[in-house]
Amino acid sequence: MSRLLLVPVGFYVLSTGLGVLLRFFFVRPFAFPVFGNGVHAHSHTLYFGWGALALFALMLRALGSTGRLTRFFLGAVVAISAATFVSFLEGGYSTPSIVVSAISLLVWPVGVAEVWRRARARADLAAIYFRTAMAYVVFASLGAATRAIFIALDASAYAKSLAVFAFLHGFSWFFVFGVLGVLLHEAGAFGIRLDERSLALALKIAAPLAWLTFPLGVPQGSEGVLGLVARAASVVLLVFGLVAARALWRAGKEGRDAHHLAFCWLGFWLGLDASLAAVGALGLSELAVRSRHLAILYLHVRLVGFVSLGVMLAIFAGRRSPFGPGMWLHNLGLLVMLAGLGVAGLPATGWSIPPLLLRLSLPVAAVGGAVTALAGAVWLVQLVAERRSARSASPDRAAVPR
């Protein structure tokens, strides 16, 4: 399992490197790779090759599932993720990409069933978070299947968009619940105590409500009954975000090493995520949807700030390699990128921005993205070097990587 965890980190470096290239497209457009194809390759690889693969591997390891079925499932996800990157980068939503995506819908239930079966036998809070994460994978899969039905029925573009975002939204909440679950499981390895009462309360708030907010990612999704329910749920979820963020922050403040500081950063990113979602529910979601830069800003707060940092931290649990250098690069780069995206997106809100500042915003975002991607490369080099060192050391002196 330790060797397998190098694979999602490799996918992370590959996809963030492509993401940096796409950031520079806004500075100086290019013809190859095709921008739209690159976006799909970047996002699908981060979702599946990085986040999903790493989280499933971490959860299955935590639950003691290392048998043939687990190896088959994780190997299939690796193969699908690699095929997805190539097919989307080459042809976008071409026939090969559609076929690979369809196959993936047959593979995910294997992992979901194994995690659920193992976690059901346990009553600890980490296992409860794992089961909730699996429920959201099922919800996301239903969104993908519904979209296929809508395409066959030639439904409206609005209906198809709702189905697409139900899938994306459900999967992003699988990440959130999964990260909190693995952090609960690995907290002891960092010498950190998480407030389980607060995190149990947070889960009771978020688990039944999080799926309801998916319409807010679609143009006009905040309107009508669906929109009203989504906006109300998003405001209530602010409580989840602040309670969970406070638990992470307080745990991190108990020490001064890089692992403790990482928990503080995770609390910051999760609190910011929930706050931005609540602000969107109060009237700004439509502006964010219309402004590509503001929508990307929010996605990166959740998926890079909280999810990617949390997954990488869990991967480093019990390892000898220092987490700090990559952590500082990761957070510094993301803050710079978000600042650039925020300025670039402000005109969509009606704010008047000085022309020079507006011209500089996208290059600044690209540079910030490059620093964040560099952090991933630093982590990958450290993990590879540690593994080589462990293999070359004598058996009685080598530390066994987790």
Side-chain angles (χ1 to χ4, degrees):
M1 193 72 76
S2 175
R3 181 174 58 184
L4 177 73
L5 285 171
L6 288 175
V7 178
V9 178
F11 278 129
Y12 179 72
V13 173
L14 177 66
S15 54
T16 53
L18 177 58
V20 172
L21 183 62
L22 298 174
R23 280 285 97 217
F24 278 100
F25 176 88
F26 289 99
V27 180
R28 186 178 294 275
F30 45 78
F32 182 83
V34 176
F35 179 80
N37 295 354
V39 169
H40 292 309
H42 166 70
S43 59
H44 280 73
T45 305
L46 277 178
Y47 255 60
F48 305 121
W50 162 235
L53 176 60
L55 274 176
F56 266 104
L58 288 166
M59 286 187 288
L60 289 166
R61 185 182 71 179
L63 295 169
S65 179
T66 58
R68 183 176 302 174
L69 182 63
T70 293
R71 292 194 298 271
F72 163 78
F73 167 70
L74 295 176
V77 176
V78 171
I80 288 170
S81 300
T84 297
F85 181 83
V86 173
S87 64
F88 275 107
L89 188 60
E90 189 278 329
Y93 269 102
S94 59
T95 299
S97 297
I98 294 172
V99 170
V100 173
S101 298
I103 293 173
S104 69
L105 290 176
L106 303 176
V107 172
W108 293 116
V110 177
V112 169
E114 179 66 4
V115 171
W116 185 275
R117 182 178 69 86
R118 297 269 181 170
R120 188 176 58 181
R122 292 173 40 169
D124 58 289
L125 187 57
I128 298 172
Y129 265 96
F130 292 164
R131 293 201 299 270
T132 306
M134 294 304 97
Y136 273 79
V137 175
V138 173
F139 170 71
S141 300
L142 290 175
T146 301
R147 178 179 180 269
I149 294 171
F150 283 166
I151 291 174
L153 296 176
D154 195 24
S156 67
Y158 175 68
K160 295 174 186 175
S161 296
L162 280 176
V164 168
F165 205 76
F167 163 71
L168 296 173
H169 182 74
F171 229 85
S172 75
W173 275 101
F174 149 65
F175 291 147
V176 172
F177 293 128
V179 167
L180 288 170
V182 296
L183 291 177
L184 279 162
H185 177 76
E186 299 289 0
F190 298 119
I192 288 175
R193 294 176 300 169
L194 285 168
D195 182 356
E196 293 201 4
R197 289 183 62 184
S198 294
L199 291 174
L201 172 62
L203 183 63
K204 289 178 181 178
I205 296 170
L209 294 179
W211 70 277
L212 293 170
T213 60
F214 73 92
L216 297 180
V218 177
Q220 301 179 325
S222 60
E223 301 174 2
V225 175
L226 268 180
L228 178 62
V229 171
R231 286 186 282 119
S234 190
V235 171
V236 175
L237 285 169
L238 176 61
V239 179
F240 154 79
L242 296 182
V243 169
R246 181 173 178 267
L248 293 169
W249 179 272
R250 292 182 66 183
K253 293 293 286 183
E254 293 178 357
R256 293 178 176 267
D257 57 54
H259 294 143
H260 281 83
L261 291 174
F263 274 83
C264 289
W265 275 107
L266 288 168
F268 167 75
W269 291 122
L270 186 57
L272 180 59
D273 171 298
S275 300
L276 290 175
V279 169
L282 294 175
L284 293 182
S285 62
E286 288 291 333
L287 291 175
V289 170
R290 290 199 297 268
S291 170
R292 184 182 187 94
H293 301 302
L294 293 180
I296 292 174
L297 183 152
Y298 171 71
L299 288 173
H300 280 72
V301 167
R302 168 170 288 194
L303 300 177
V304 180
F306 178 71
V307 172
S308 292
L309 181 63
V311 172
M312 198 70 76
L313 179 63
I315 289 174
F316 270 76
R319 293 181 180 272
R320 297 169 300 179
S321 298
F323 189 70
M327 178 192 70
W328 290 114
L329 287 171
H330 177 92
N331 290 307
L332 173 63
L334 184 56
L335 287 171
V336 171
M337 182 171 68
L338 295 178
L341 289 172
V343 172
L346 281 178
T349 68
W351 282 42
S352 179
I353 305 297
L356 177 60
L357 190 59
L358 196 58
R359 285 198 300 271
L360 289 175
S361 62
L362 293 177
V364 166
V367 171
V371 175
T372 303
L374 176 61
V378 168
W379 281 320
L380 178 61
V381 169
Q382 288 178 320
L383 291 173
V384 171
E386 180 183 292
R387 179 163 183 80
R388 288 179 175 175
S389 175
R391 289 177 61 184
S392 61
S394 59
D396 59 325
R397 296 176 60 189
V400 179
R402 288 173 57 84

